[in-house]
Amino acid sequence: MQERHKNRQQYFNEQSESTRKYVLPYILQGIDTDKKLRVLEIGCGEGGNLLPFLETGCECYGVELSETSYNNALIFYEENPLKSNLQLLNKNIYEVTPDEIGGAFDVVFLRDVIEHIPAQEQFMKHLKQFIAPTGVVFFAFPPWRMPFGGHQQVSHKKWISRMPYIHAFPKPVYKTILKILGSSDREIEGLLNLAETGISIKQFEKIIRQENYTVNRKTHWFINPNYQTKFGFKPRRLPKIFQIPYLQDFYTTAAYYLLKIEE
């Protein structure tokens, strides 16, 4: 586990910086920003991704399932002068209704969240009620087969946290490796749960076609923009010549999608 995973204020700051540089411009390109935008983040964690939207004058809502992350967000925003434009809910998104949060939104976004959600087809149906007719929804996620698509970097065991691709083994083999390297039963359970919900580029695109979403923009990253803030690596888009179905999942470290609902 890296220091940023233990130091939540550092993680909050890194999220804010990366979203300010890359996610915010990606989403707002082509959107009418003359009006005050309503923005919803699903799986907002401590709220670091929402800060750049608040700074541009957006009315922001965040929904977070984890009580610990929700409480951290309350602490981090306690003295923030922009907090009057932020509402946070500690709820499962399936239990939230648009009426509860003031109607549909101009921007809905999920950053590194869809790969944690079970029954993704059902979720994409549920999501539509939160998107205004002219609104957009943004997804950023690591394809399951990328080097750390299993999120093993959060492991408390140093060797596991540094081993790429081990999550791509068949589950019994992966579980055995985790046990041999000393993972706790609780950690193993969490990592194996991710093996159930991790999503590939092909799976994601199949779901959005089935649910009648239109791709407004998409970018596959060879070097994730997050890595500039975390490690100092310059972001690199994946050249089209390497965007080969199935194979691209192994070396695409992040996929960005900006979607609309088909009329």
Side-chain angles (χ1 to χ4, degrees):
M1 178 177 286
Q2 299 165 2
E3 178 61 29
R4 65 179 53 86
H5 297 124
K6 295 181 284 187
N7 184 337
R8 304 313 296 177
Q9 181 67 66
Q10 178 184 346
Y11 193 78
F12 176 98
N13 294 341
E14 288 179 350
Q15 281 193 321
S16 298
E17 182 178 348
S18 183
T19 293
R20 190 178 293 110
K21 285 183 178 179
Y22 297 104
V23 175
L24 181 68
Y26 196 94
I27 293 175
L28 295 188
Q29 182 178 344
I31 293 180
D32 179 10
T33 55
D34 289 338
K35 66 174 183 176
K36 186 175 185 177
L37 297 176
R38 283 173 43 81
V39 176
L40 169 65
E41 182 180 13
I42 298 172
C44 67
E46 284 92 359
N49 294 316
L50 286 167
L51 182 57
F53 289 91
L54 287 168
E55 291 168 345
T56 62
C58 298
E59 177 187 350
C60 295
Y61 287 74
V63 177
E64 174 56 43
L65 181 61
S66 164
E67 185 176 0
T68 299
S69 296
Y70 168 78
N71 288 333
N72 283 340
L74 295 180
I75 293 169
F76 294 157
Y77 279 102
E78 188 174 13
E79 302 298 328
N80 192 297
L82 302 173
K83 69 177 183 179
S84 62
N85 275 333
L86 175 65
Q87 298 291 328
L88 299 170
L89 291 177
N90 180 207
K91 294 184 74 171
N92 187 317
I93 186 61
Y94 285 113
E95 298 172 356
V96 179
T97 65
D99 287 345
E100 184 178 1
I101 48 179
F105 290 82
D106 302 298
V107 174
V108 178
F109 74 100
L110 297 88
R111 186 176 173 201
D112 297 331
V113 170
I114 188 65
E115 72 274 18
H116 297 277
I117 297 177
Q120 287 143 348
E121 296 89 345
Q122 179 184 348
F123 172 75
M124 294 300 285
K125 287 186 177 74
H126 181 75
L127 180 63
K128 291 178 181 178
Q129 64 187 309
F130 299 101
I131 307 168
T134 58
V136 296
V137 56
F138 170 81
F139 290 87
F141 66 92
W144 167 249
R145 297 181 187 90
M146 62 84 84
F148 289 90
H151 290 50
Q152 62 268 38
Q153 70 272 17
V154 304
S155 172
H156 291 83
K157 296 297 179 179
K158 181 175 69 173
W159 289 109
I160 294 172
S161 70
R162 297 180 179 180
M163 293 180 71
Y165 295 116
I166 58 169
H167 62 290
F169 284 108
K171 284 181 68 175
V173 177
Y174 183 33
K175 183 176 181 179
T176 299
I177 292 172
L178 294 174
K179 278 186 172 291
I180 290 173
L181 294 178
S183 279
S184 66
D185 289 343
R186 181 178 179 182
E187 183 172 277
I188 290 172
E189 180 183 4
L191 291 172
L192 291 180
N193 284 341
L194 276 166
E196 297 292 338
T197 59
I199 190 167
S200 69
I201 291 171
K202 182 179 179 179
Q203 286 173 314
F204 183 78
E205 293 192 345
K206 180 181 178 181
I207 292 170
I208 62 178
R209 284 195 305 270
Q210 288 175 343
E211 299 306 322
N212 296 318
Y213 286 86
T214 300
V215 178
N216 187 285
R217 296 181 68 193
K218 72 174 180 179
T219 303
H220 296 163
W221 297 92
F222 179 61
I223 299 180
N224 190 335
N226 291 0
Y227 294 172
Q228 184 172 53
T229 304
K230 293 179 178 180
F231 312 119
F233 299 159
K234 185 177 180 179
R236 299 284 185 187
R237 288 177 170 82
L238 185 68
K240 287 189 176 181
I241 193 173
F242 294 116
Q243 293 181 25
I244 305 167
Y246 183 76
L247 289 180
Q248 65 183 333
D249 281 49
F250 287 90
Y251 44 76
T252 299
T253 58
Y256 279 16
Y257 284 82
L258 190 67
L259 310 178
K260 292 186 174 183
I261 302 174
E262 289 184 6
E263 297 181 359

